[in-house]
Amino acid sequence: MKLPNLPPAETIALFLDFDGTLVEIAEHPDAVALDSATKVALAILSSRLGNALAIITGREIEVIDRFIAPLELPVAGIHGLQRRNSNGDIPVNSNTTAEFVAILKTRLSPLVEREDGLILEVKTASVALHYRARPELQQICLEACENAIEDLSDIELKRGKMVLEAKPNTADKGTAILDYMSEPPFSGRTPWFAGDDVTDEDAFDVVNRLGGVSIKVGPGETVATHSAESTAGFLKWLIEGADKLRLEGTV
């Protein structure tokens, strides 16, 4: 399906996932790279959209900042548990506690130490178990994570591409978009969101209900209204769209 052209800049609020959408997925979370053309496109889009562009990701805000530097954009991190608005303020969800993270780290570390190739990513408000290098361990990892959170209240398990992430159930990517859409410069605009993973379905659903445009990047079942065949294909569309808006702004 051909992706639609971006509408006039003043009408759109653009939300973008990071891994698998703005960058290709890598074997290790630290191995991804945001290429210069994409970074330039983000800068153009943010400027032309009046800063109504935000990254909605499972990563922490400070990690995204390192990848997009010197840009500083609104970012919703850890699936909406962190959120930096257009003013640079970061209200942190009060239900995220170090105790919960420490418990899961203790419970899952033995598996990671025993099995080569597994990566335990410990964040401020979640714990992610990556098994991309050991896909045959998917069921073992799933059972380990389910057992680890079994007696923890208000903790959910998110399944992504070769990753399982335990996090508080108080926020997701959809609630992050709703929060942004309730405040300037996003309010009053039509939301567009692009993402590649099952963890993006909450956001697709919210955007659809708001009458916006949802874009699934890559294969897989989805509620998104549009799709791009690959990350490379989506980035080509994004860069071309940014260039078009840049030229319109010079008229």
Side-chain angles (χ1 to χ4, degrees):
M1 180 187 301
K2 183 179 179 181
L3 294 178
N5 293 327
L6 289 173
E10 66 274 10
T11 69
I12 182 176
L14 184 59
F15 302 101
L16 301 168
D17 172 46
F18 189 72
D19 292 275
T21 301
L22 291 177
V23 297
E24 298 282 0
I25 292 177
E27 286 295 323
H28 193 284
D30 294 337
V32 303
L34 185 68
D35 67 47
S36 58
T38 302
K39 193 176 293 188
V40 168
L42 291 176
I44 293 170
L45 288 166
S46 180
S47 175
R48 292 289 292 120
L49 271 57
N51 298 321
L53 182 154
I55 294 176
I56 314 291
T57 177
R59 292 183 184 260
E60 293 171 293
I61 291 174
E62 63 181 25
V63 175
I64 292 297
D65 282 346
R66 291 200 297 269
F67 285 119
I68 68 174
L71 296 178
E72 184 169 314
L73 302 173
V75 178
I78 319 181
H79 307 281
L81 290 168
Q82 292 180 327
R83 193 173 68 87
R84 180 172 66 212
N85 61 28
S86 61
N87 295 324
D89 298 326
I90 307 177
V92 179
N93 190 295
S94 61
N95 291 326
T96 60
T97 65
E99 181 182 5
F100 141 72
V101 171
I103 290 171
L104 286 185
K105 180 181 178 182
T106 298
R107 292 178 177 179
L108 293 173
S109 289
L111 173 62
V112 175
E113 293 168 0
R114 185 171 68 249
E115 298 288 355
D116 291 339
L118 297 183
I119 300 170
L120 192 63
E121 184 182 8
V122 179
K123 308 176 188 180
T124 56
S126 72
V127 176
L129 178 59
H130 299 263
Y131 56 92
R132 181 166 298 277
R134 297 290 304 277
E136 74 277 11
L137 296 180
Q138 176 179 335
Q139 188 59 33
I140 291 175
C141 290
L142 177 60
E143 292 175 0
C145 288
E146 289 177 338
N147 291 336
I149 69 171
E150 187 174 14
D151 62 343
L152 300 177
S153 60
D154 300 320
I155 301 300
E156 65 179 355
L157 190 63
K158 286 281 190 180
R159 301 183 66 168
K161 292 181 177 178
M162 302 294 181
V163 62
L164 298 159
E165 186 160 1
K167 56 173 282 293
N169 60 10
T170 52
D172 56 40
K173 291 186 177 183
T175 62
I177 288 179
L178 286 173
D179 287 340
Y180 279 122
M181 292 300 295
S182 70
E183 62 190 28
F186 302 91
S187 57
R189 295 169 178 252
T190 300
W192 287 48
F193 173 70
D196 74 302
D197 210 343
V198 293
T199 55
D200 297 311
E201 293 297 317
D202 295 321
F204 292 149
D205 183 61
V206 165
V207 168
N208 292 347
R209 286 192 279 114
L210 293 176
V213 175
S214 52
I215 301 171
K216 165 76 170 180
V217 179
E221 293 186 8
T222 183
V223 299
T225 57
H226 297 77
S227 63
E229 289 187 359
S230 64
T231 303
F234 174 75
L235 290 177
K236 181 176 183 294
W237 171 85
L238 188 74
I239 291 168
E240 290 176 351
D243 194 50
K244 180 181 177 182
L245 289 182
R246 178 185 62 81
L247 292 174
E248 290 176 354
T250 62
V251 175

